[in-house]
Amino acid sequence: MLKNRYAQEDREIIMEIKYRDLCYATSKCFTECLKKYGFMGFSSGSYGDEINIRQLLIIKAFALGLIGNENGLNVNNHYDFSFEEEMEILAVDM
């Protein structure tokens, strides 16, 4: 629902977005924010919001094609990335 305080009526916009594209856009946003402001800067700038790094790693790995639907986003969320690989994934520019 698109709300416009200057319009008389709200408008509903329906879009189809591929899940991988949504993950990519989300990853890009968080990556840029983290690289610009850091973890503490992001938290204070967003009034205490936190980034779940484990979830960001999953979303970013999926967006980059490192994991797929057949073994990603399942109940156990176990991907066997080493710490070094996780840090590389977090550092990748989107």
Side-chain angles (χ1 to χ4, degrees), residues 1 5 9-10 13 17-19 22 25 29 35 41 44-46 48 52 55-56 65 70 72 78 82-83 85 90:
M1 180 70 72
R5 65 181 173 179
E9 297 179 14
D10 294 336
I13 297 176
I17 300 173
K18 292 181 181 176
Y19 184 70
L22 179 61
C29 176
K35 286 188 172 191
S44 63
S46 62
N52 184 313
Q55 291 175 349
L56 179 57
E70 64 279 352
H78 182 69
S82 68
F83 177 75
E85 291 169 326
L90 283 177

Side-chain angles (χ1 to χ4, degrees), residues 28-91:
K28 180 177 176 63
C29 176
F30 279 109
T31 299
E32 289 176 359
C33 285
L34 287 174
K35 286 188 172 191
K36 185 171 183 178
Y37 303 108
F39 290 102
M40 295 301 291
F42 176 87
S43 180
S44 63
S46 62
Y47 304 103
D49 282 347
E50 301 293 334
I51 296 174
N52 184 313
I53 298 301
R54 182 185 57 80
Q55 291 175 349
L56 179 57
L57 279 168
I58 293 166
I59 291 169
K60 196 166 182 179
F62 181 77
L64 294 170
L66 301 174
I67 59 175
N69 280 341
E70 64 279 352
N71 66 348
L73 306 181
N74 57 17
V75 176
N76 66 12
N77 289 332
H78 182 69
Y79 301 111
D80 293 327
F81 289 121
S82 68
F83 177 75
E84 291 78 18
E85 291 169 326
E86 290 174 339
M87 293 298 101
E88 287 177 21
I89 292 169
L90 283 177

